[in-house]
Amino acid sequence: MIFTSRPTIIGHRGSGSGSVPVSGVPATGRLAGAALRTGSVTDGMTDAGLAAAGNGAMNGPVKGAVDGQVVVENTVDSMLTAVRAGISWVEIDVQRTADDELVLRHDPVTAGGDFVVEQTADACGLPRLRDVFEALPTTVAVDVDIKTILEDAVDAPARRTGALLLPVLAAEARRRPLLLTSFDPAVLLHLKENLPGVPLGLLTWLGFPMWHGLAAAAGLGLQAVGLHTGSFRFTQAGTESGTDPATTARPRRHRPVEHSVEVAHRAGLEVLAWCPKPEDAPAYARAGVDALVIDDVPGTLAVL
C-alpha cells in the first residue's frame, strides 16, 4: 500500500504550479489537524522531525513562506510551505541537464526559453534533485514525476534519464517513502527491473480515457495510475460530460467513476487524480480515489 489514508493530498510541485501566493498557511511550524487525514508519514511527528535541513538545524519548526509571500514551483520553499499547510506528500518534476545532473523542472525549457538538456546545471540555475532531497525532511514522502526527454531516444543508455536517476532514487528510497511516476512506460519498466520494491505509477495525458489508463498500468505490472482530472466523468453514466441528458442520444462510453476505481483496486492499483479543483475533491473522495495531486493545498484541506 502506497497511501494509508484516502484521499491522501499531494502538493503539486510543492505548493502548486507556477508562482503561488501563499495564503491560509499557518505561520507556525505546527502541522494543521488535517495532516492526520492526508497520509501517515506525519503522524506523531514532532517539530524536530519536520525541521528544514537547509539551515543545518533539526530542532526548529517547518520552514517555508508565510502569508503574502510567493513561492515558486519545484523549490524547497514551495515544498516546505505545503508541508506546513498540513500535508505529508509532495510531487516534483525531474529531468537531466547537459552535464548529466538531475534538476527540478516541469517544462523542457527554462523560464528564459533555453532547453534544460542543452544547459549545464550551473548555467540553468535550477534546484538539483540531490540538494532538494537533502533539504527536505525525510518524514515527507515524495512523488517523483520523471520527465524523459527527446535525447533519451538516441543517447547512450548510461546517459538516459532513468539510468541517471537509479543511484539517487535507490539511496533515497532507504530514507523516505517514494512514488515514481512518468508518462513514459519505458522508463517505468527500466525502474521496475532495476529498483524493485519502489512503487511505480503510469501518468496519462489530459482527458485520456480512464479505461485505457487503468488497463495499461495493470498490464505493465505497476502499483499506481495517475489520471488527469479530465479523465474522470462525474456525470450520468449514460451521457457524455458537458451534454444535456434530455437532448443527447449518444451511447454510453464511460463507466461510473466509482466502478472504474473499484476495478483498479481489484487490479492492485492505487488511483491518483492530478489537478482537481478544491471544490471537486469531495467527489473524488466519495469515489474512492486514493490520492489527489493538488495546486491549492489549503483550499482542498478545507473541504475534506
Side-chain angles (χ1 to χ4, degrees), residues 151-209:
E151 286 74 7
D152 285 332
V154 293
D155 280 350
R159 291 201 63 204
R160 295 175 190 172
T161 304
L164 296 174
L165 274 167
L166 267 177
V168 180
L169 296 175
E172 198 60 26
R174 294 191 289 269
R175 302 175 68 233
R176 75 173 77 243
L178 294 177
L179 170 64
L180 310 180
T181 57
S182 184
F183 293 96
D184 185 343
V187 77
L188 294 172
L189 291 178
H190 176 74
L191 294 171
K192 179 183 176 183
E193 180 180 353
N194 293 282
L195 202 59
V198 178
L200 305 170
L202 177 68
L203 298 176
T204 63
W205 195 237
L206 308 178
F208 192 80

Side-chain angles (χ1 to χ4, degrees), residues 14-202:
S15 292
S17 58
S19 297
V20 181
V22 177
S23 64
V25 177
T28 69
R30 303 300 195 270
L31 285 177
L36 301 182
R37 304 198 303 266
T38 57
S40 66
V41 295
T42 54
D43 292 2
M45 285 167 52
T46 64
D47 282 345
L50 281 169
N55 62 359
M58 291 303 290
N59 58 356
V62 178
K63 305 294 184 181
V66 298
D67 279 9
Q69 293 183 331
V70 173
V71 292
V72 178
E73 66 175 53
N74 280 317
T75 61
V76 172
D77 234 12
S78 183
M79 294 169 217
L80 293 178
T81 300
V83 172
R84 205 178 68 242
I87 64 174
S88 57
W89 276 82
V90 294
E91 182 258 8
I92 61 175
D93 303 297
V94 177
Q95 57 183 289
R96 65 180 173 103
T97 63
D99 52 347
D100 295 342
E101 290 285 343
L102 297 162
V103 296
L104 271 59
R105 181 70 177 169
H106 176 270
D107 296 341
V109 296
T110 66
D114 298 308
F115 281 92
V116 174
V117 73
E118 296 175 358
Q119 300 267 301
T120 66
D122 286 342
C124 68
L126 295 168
R128 299 176 192 237
L129 179 61
R130 289 183 186 274
D131 294 341
V132 170
F133 277 152
E134 183 63 29
L136 196 63
T138 56
T139 41
V140 177
V142 180
D143 171 4
V144 182
D145 181 349
I146 301 165
K147 301 297 188 187
T148 53
I149 57 174
L150 180 64
E151 286 74 7
D152 285 332
V154 293
D155 280 350
R159 291 201 63 204
R160 295 175 190 172
T161 304
L164 296 174
L165 274 167
L166 267 177
V168 180
L169 296 175
E172 198 60 26
R174 294 191 289 269
R175 302 175 68 233
R176 75 173 77 243
L178 294 177
L179 170 64
L180 310 180
T181 57
S182 184
F183 293 96
D184 185 343
V187 77
L188 294 172
L189 291 178
H190 176 74
L191 294 171
K192 179 183 176 183
E193 180 180 353
N194 293 282
L195 202 59
V198 178
L200 305 170
L202 177 68

